Amino acid sequence: MLACGCVSKPITLLTVDAHGQPVADAVVYQHGVGFFSPVPLRRKTPRTTQGDGTLPIVLDSRTSSLTILKPYFEPVQLVVAMTGQVVPAEVPAPATPEVPVVVDARDGEVTDFAALPDHATVRVGMSQCARRAAHIAVADERGMPVPDAEVHRVCTLFLLNRGTEETLGLPPIESARTDSAGRASVEVLGGLANHVYVRAPGRVAQRLAVDASSPGTSPLRVMLPEAPVRQLRIRVLQGPKSPVVAEASVTLGLQLDGMPQDPNGWTALTDAEGLTREVAVSQQQPIIFTVSKGKQVRRQTVTWDEVERAASRGELTLFMGGR
């Protein structure tokens, strides 16, 4: 069990690469960890390592989680906690800012708080991501190539104790378009979760996980089926039995992970009766609407069955508040 406390301990974090060279500009998140849960509960504003790879840190509890991120490097997570281990007799002399004790820490391991001297330098190795090309072959339901389809590679993190760093410290999204044979290539990175999104107008987008450690010699085959479309208007209410919402913005296919809007998406405004113009709603996986007005924003997921029932009436209802 991880214990908590209120003891402060100043250390210096030192990030180095596989050759022992300093890694500058690595983003460091410092989380506190609760007594009953090892997941981050509170965090400080992230800071970055200096040109020599160092960053002074004060461990302000007996259980701290440090997440270290830099684009094209594998993410590192360290936990400093009271482990209950017996401190060996040959404890190093107390460190000072002038004569630090260097302690090596590794990703995924717990460093004992009690055995860590004040002013110690905690050296952490960071590995550059292995990189390889992933080849994508896109076809329709008849097996014919789909040219000019969008192919996007998005990376997310593998972390023992997930925080909220969904985008920071990650490489940028890589985008490509398929050629006349329906082929495209993007780079995938080891140590990260890689997902490839394949999209085209009038077709149901697909999302697939790609293992960066696999050889990747054969193309990944993706089938983009034609997307059924229903025409309807959308009415926005504040809630059930609540007034209509005029001048609300309704968006289909808005992406929150940095990718551009889905090619089958659109944005429409409601009129004084809370109704949009007639819009085309295509089958997607999932179908997510974003409704916003001023500071109010709500995302609502509907099923294709709900869309078909609404199309038979000519109108689909969405809510700014809860149902």
Side-chain angles (χ1 to χ4, degrees):
M1 176 67 69
L2 301 179
C4 63
C6 55
V7 177
S8 295
K9 181 168 291 192
I11 66 166
T12 297
L13 190 69
L14 171 62
T15 51
V16 296
D17 63 17
H19 305 289
Q21 297 301 306
V23 177
D25 300 321
V27 181
V28 180
Y29 288 84
Q30 184 175 356
H31 303 274
V33 180
F35 186 82
F36 294 106
S37 173
V39 299
L41 301 178
R42 60 190 183 280
R43 61 178 181 173
K44 296 184 176 181
T45 301
R47 300 163 63 196
T48 58
T49 58
Q50 304 171 92
D52 60 357
T54 64
L55 177 65
I57 289 178
V58 175
L59 303 178
D60 54 8
S61 73
R62 286 183 175 170
T63 302
S64 295
S65 175
L66 303 177
T67 302
I68 308 168
L69 308 173
K70 183 171 182 176
Y72 299 104
F73 280 79
E74 295 185 13
V76 173
Q77 189 162 50
L78 305 177
V79 174
V80 181
M82 295 292 287
T83 64
Q85 297 175 353
V86 178
V87 179
E90 58 275 10
V91 176
T96 67
E98 295 77 21
V99 185
V101 170
V102 178
V103 177
D104 287 313
R106 293 176 177 81
D107 179 36
E109 293 186 359
V110 177
T111 299
D112 185 66
F113 184 92
L116 192 63
D118 285 0
H119 307 294
T121 294
V122 178
R123 182 168 51 202
V124 181
M126 298 191 69
S127 301
Q128 289 190 327
C129 293
R131 303 161 75 162
R132 74 165 180 85
H135 306 290
I136 314 295
V138 184
D140 62 18
E141 58 268 52
R142 298 178 301 276
M144 300 300 293
V146 178
D148 204 34
E150 299 179 6
V151 179
H152 304 279
R153 186 270 289 132
V154 178
C155 291
T156 53
L157 301 179
F158 288 128
L159 292 178
L160 295 178
N161 301 333
R162 283 188 79 89
T164 57
E165 302 78 39
E166 293 297 330
T167 57
L168 294 177
L170 298 177
I173 293 171
E174 183 178 354
S175 300
R177 287 187 177 271
T178 55
D179 60 18
S180 59
R183 301 294 183 100
S185 298
V186 289
E187 185 179 66
V188 292
L189 307 174
L192 300 170
N194 295 263
H195 287 91
V196 172
Y197 294 77
V198 185
R199 316 185 306 188
R203 301 195 173 275
V204 180
Q206 301 295 316
R207 173 182 182 267
L208 60 151
V210 181
D211 183 0
S213 64
S214 63
T217 53
S218 300
L220 298 170
R221 300 192 178 278
V222 180
M223 193 266 282
L224 289 189
E226 187 174 356
V229 178
R230 299 292 181 266
Q231 301 288 334
L232 47 76
R233 300 179 76 185
I234 294 177
R235 187 184 299 275
V236 178
L237 303 178
Q238 186 61 41
K241 301 180 181 180
S242 296
V244 300
V245 181
E247 299 182 348
S249 175
V250 181
T251 300
L252 175 66
L254 179 66
Q255 304 294 314
L256 298 184
D257 51 10
M259 289 200 306
Q261 183 169 304
D262 188 283
N264 296 306
W266 42 258
T267 297
L269 295 175
T270 59
D271 59 18
E273 297 179 346
L275 279 170
T276 67
R277 56 177 169 81
E278 188 174 75
V279 292
V281 179
S282 61
Q283 187 173 18
Q284 301 177 8
Q285 298 176 344
I287 304 171
I288 301 178
F289 292 97
T290 303
V291 185
S292 60
K293 182 176 181 180
K295 294 183 178 180
Q296 277 190 292
V297 179
R298 184 168 189 260
R299 283 168 65 82
Q300 185 172 331
T301 301
V302 302
T303 66
W304 182 245
D305 286 343
E306 289 177 295
V307 171
E308 290 194 309
R309 288 195 297 270
S312 66
R313 304 188 302 268
E315 182 180 309
L316 173 69
T317 301
L318 301 177
F319 300 101
M320 285 294 301
R323 293 198 182 208

